[in-house]
Structures are given as C-alpha cells and as structure tokens.
Amino acid sequence: KVGQLTGARILITGSILQVEKKLILLAKIISTENGRVVGASVEGVASDDLAALVGIAVIVVSTGEVGRAGRTG
C-alpha cells in the first residue's frame, strides 16, 4: 500500500551497528509490487566510508549474490 500511495517501486530499510571497531550494515530491499524482500549484510571497519559500504550492499543485492559481503580497509 505504501508503494501505491507514494509511487515508490521499492522500499529500503536497515540498520547500522558498530561493535568495537567493526561496522555492520544490514539492509532490506522490499518490492512494493509483490512484497518480495531481499536482504544483505556488509561488514567493514569503523574507519570505512559509509557510502562505500552502502554501495557494496547495493551491488550484492542487484547481482543476486544475496548474503554477506566483506570489506577490509
């Protein structure tokens, strides 16, 4: 229903966790057309650029390699 009200085709939700020096990005992409949920988690270190971690998550989801990806810096 949100997709119909806003015109959005997807919704992106998630969270960012920091555990000591580790940074974890958890993302869910939800299709507003069929309700399909695709998720990914990306791990990095606290000094990593957050935009880069988001970019990695998008690549993981868009290539169908859903699951965990890592980045070391």
Side-chain angles (χ1 to χ4, degrees):
K1 191 166 183 171
V2 172
Q4 292 173 343
L5 294 173
T6 64
R9 294 185 304 186
I10 62 169
L11 295 174
I12 301 174
T13 66
S15 57
I16 301 167
L17 308 169
Q18 183 171 353
V19 179
E20 295 180 11
K21 293 184 179 185
K22 186 187 290 187
L23 193 64
I24 303 169
L25 172 71
L26 304 170
K28 280 192 215 176
I29 298 176
I30 305 164
S31 169
T32 60
E33 296 172 357
N34 60 20
R36 182 173 174 231
V37 177
V38 180
S41 67
V42 178
E43 292 184 12
V45 293
S47 61
D48 282 343
D49 178 28
L50 185 58
L53 291 177
V54 171
I56 293 168
V58 169
I59 290 168
V60 168
V61 170
S62 65
T63 60
E65 296 178 23
V66 177
R68 296 174 68 116
R71 176 186 163 94
T72 58

